[in-house]
């Protein structure tokens, strides 16, 4: 059995890039010959991850398939692929996030219309699985949900304990100062930066001692930089990093008001670091929260309700500790081992089908 993991453009710091590296390492370690071709980004990806990616054309990919390779498409590029992983869904994002998604949605429509009847579609959440059925008529039985896995070697309560003091010193914060954070790999608009800032203003009015941290992109948008919380230093920014663990460790609460997020790996990473989280059901990763979170989970990212929940949690350290402990215990079910094993089972099923 040979496997080809394909994505047109590889980016080591993106969530999808991390998952591809995870799959390549896991399958290779299990003795499955696995290639990682792309159209762009192979050299940088190799240098940053140590995973050998290669630039390959569509004709190259088809030749590999002709020799029996199982194609795992991570970019909605090959409708003939045996496995199709869906990481983003423009048709559903367009309902919630400002911006023109018509072209991307049309590409999705064309792709799923041409999809091979034998292909298995892999959604990264039930949220996306249901949207695929609604927008493109995919039968629910044809879509498998496999939650993305976080790297348990990097994210754990033990790592948080090691990193917390130094991270807070770098922010010039005493340990007793409550710190609420927002961490993202990019796309501030989709992830709800403006809602985070609005929440922060409401929280600061009730808790003047609270401080806020935004991690992502190279710089804040001009509107956010001009906000009084940023100008006063109550809200601070740190650039996007391939190693955000110290920033998670510094937090007392992770607030994630994404307008829509197909999954949202940062939510799992925060939980794994023992940080309580606040988010909504518009984020696919909220499906992985333990039952204890039910009273704290919103249907949509409404700033007033989210801020009031944050203030309540800041006032009750015991509740925060219970939430954090429960999440840290359950999120391990969704680590890289589970993701790789889920991928291996899907690949093996397709291999049996082809034989």
């Amino acid at each position: 059995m040979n496997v080809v993991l394909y994505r047109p453009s590889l980016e080591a710091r993106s969530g999808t890039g991390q998952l591809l590296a995870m799959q390549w390492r896991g399958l290779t370690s299990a003795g499955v010959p696995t290639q990682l071709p792309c159209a762009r980004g192979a050299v940088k990806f190799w240098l940053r991850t140590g995973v050998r990616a290669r630039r390959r054309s569509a004709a190259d990919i088809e030749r590999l398939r002709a020799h029996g390779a199982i194609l795992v498409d991570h970019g909605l590029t090959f409708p003939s692929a045996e496995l199709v992983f869906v990481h983003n869904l423009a048709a559903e994002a367009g309902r919630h996030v400002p911006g023109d998604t018509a072209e991307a949605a049309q590409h999705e429509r064309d792709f799923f219309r041409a999809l091979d009847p034998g292909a298995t579609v892999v959604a990264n959440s039930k949220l996306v699985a249901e949207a695929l059925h609604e927008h493109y008529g995919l039968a629910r039985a044809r879509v498998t949900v496999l939650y993305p896995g976080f790297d348990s070697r990097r994210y754990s309560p033990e790592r948080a304990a090691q990193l917390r003091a130094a991270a807070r010193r770098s922010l010039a914060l005493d340990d007793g100062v409550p710190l609420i954070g927002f961490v993202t790999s990019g796309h501030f608009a989709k992830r709800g930066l403006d809602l985070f800032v609005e929440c922060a203003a409401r929280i600061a009015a009730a808790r003047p001692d609270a401080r806020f941290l935004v991690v992502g992109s190279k710089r804040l948008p001009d509107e956010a930089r001009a906000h009084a919380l940023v100008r006063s230093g109550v809200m601070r920014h740190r650039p996007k990093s391939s190693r955000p663990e110290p920033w998670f460790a510094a937090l007392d609460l992770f607030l994630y008001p994404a307008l829509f997020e197909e999954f949202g790996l940062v939510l799992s990473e925060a939980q794994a670091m023992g940080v309580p989280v606040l988010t909504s059901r518009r984020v696919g990763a909220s499906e992985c929260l333990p039952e204890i979170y039910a009273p704290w989970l919103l249907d949509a990212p409404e700033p007033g309700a989210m801020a009031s929940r944050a203030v309540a949690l800041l006032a009750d350290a015991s509740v925060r500790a219970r939430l954090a402990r429960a999440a840290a215990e359950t999120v391990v079910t969704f680590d890289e081992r589970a993701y790789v094993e889920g991928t291996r089972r899907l690949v093996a099923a397709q291999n049996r089908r082809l034989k």
Side-chain angles (χ1 to χ4, degrees):
M1 181 171 67
N2 294 284
V3 175
V4 173
L5 305 172
Y6 181 83
R7 186 165 175 83
S9 182
L10 287 177
E11 169 52 61
R13 294 176 181 174
S14 71
T16 303
Q18 293 173 44
L19 294 173
L20 279 161
M22 197 176 286
Q23 287 182 328
W24 184 90
R25 291 191 181 102
L27 291 171
T28 301
S29 296
V32 179
T34 305
Q35 297 186 45
L36 182 54
C38 65
R40 299 176 299 279
V43 174
K44 284 186 178 179
F45 192 84
W46 180 26
L47 293 174
R48 288 175 175 169
T49 67
V51 173
R52 186 61 183 266
R54 297 179 184 275
R55 186 175 179 179
R56 292 286 186 262
S57 67
D60 293 331
I61 303 301
E62 292 299 345
R63 277 193 289 273
L64 290 170
R65 294 190 68 216
H67 285 87
I70 293 174
L71 176 57
V72 182
D73 183 352
H74 282 268
L76 302 190
T77 305
F78 293 96
S80 59
E82 283 73 36
L83 283 166
V84 174
F85 277 70
V86 180
H87 299 280
N88 300 288
L89 200 61
E92 184 63 18
R95 287 180 166 179
H96 310 289
V97 184
D100 184 6
T101 61
E103 184 177 348
Q106 183 60 54
H107 170 75
E108 291 173 355
R109 195 160 24 253
D110 293 341
F111 179 88
F112 288 114
R113 188 179 293 133
L115 188 65
D116 187 280
T120 294
V121 178
V122 186
N124 53 7
S125 64
K126 295 175 184 175
L127 182 70
V128 168
E130 188 59 30
L132 284 167
H133 171 72
E134 181 180 349
H135 290 286
Y136 301 121
L138 293 184
R140 290 184 175 89
R142 190 178 181 185
V143 181
T144 296
V145 174
L146 179 61
Y147 293 118
F150 70 94
D151 188 342
S152 60
R153 295 165 299 181
R154 293 173 54 190
Y155 300 95
S156 69
E158 293 75 23
R159 282 282 288 155
Q162 295 168 1
L163 298 170
R164 181 176 172 87
R168 289 181 72 94
R169 278 197 303 271
S170 74
L171 295 167
L173 291 178
D174 294 334
D175 195 53
V177 175
L179 181 64
I180 300 97
F182 173 84
V183 181
T184 178
S185 60
H187 204 325
F188 275 148
K190 182 178 181 181
R191 271 65 181 224
L193 174 62
D194 57 340
L195 296 184
F196 179 82
V197 173
E198 185 175 345
C199 288
R202 292 171 182 260
I203 295 166
R207 288 292 301 261
D209 59 330
R211 295 296 180 267
F212 305 90
L213 176 66
V214 175
V215 179
S217 194
K218 293 182 179 179
R219 52 177 283 174
L220 290 174
D222 291 342
E223 185 177 355
R225 292 175 65 212
H227 196 279
L229 290 178
V230 176
R231 288 189 285 104
S232 66
V234 171
M235 181 181 293
R236 301 173 191 183
H237 172 252
R238 292 296 182 269
K240 174 182 175 180
S241 169
S242 60
R243 292 286 175 179
E245 299 96 306
W247 306 129
F248 282 118
L251 301 180
D252 297 295
L253 181 64
F254 182 69
L255 198 157
Y256 197 59
L259 301 179
F260 171 74
E261 180 81 59
E262 288 85 352
F263 185 72
L265 197 56
V266 289
L267 206 68
S268 296
E269 292 167 349
Q271 293 172 65
M273 294 292 275
V275 182
V277 303
L278 273 179
T279 191
S280 80
R281 291 184 176 87
R282 294 258 188 91
V283 175
S286 70
E287 298 165 14
C288 302
L289 289 170
E291 183 60 32
I292 192 175
Y293 267 91
W296 303 95
L297 185 62
L298 284 82
D299 288 331
E302 199 283 308
M306 193 164 276
S308 66
R309 280 169 168 77
V311 171
L313 284 176
L314 291 179
D316 197 329
S318 64
V319 172
R320 292 203 311 275
R322 285 199 297 273
L323 291 174
R325 187 165 52 250
E329 289 171 354
T330 58
V331 77
V332 294
T333 308
F334 310 104
D335 66 4
E336 76 283 357
R337 289 164 293 189
Y339 188 67
V340 169
E341 177 57 23
T343 302
R344 190 199 63 76
R345 287 197 303 268
L346 289 166
V347 168
Q350 284 294 331
N351 190 49
R352 289 193 297 270
R353 183 183 70 83
L354 293 174
K355 287 181 178 179

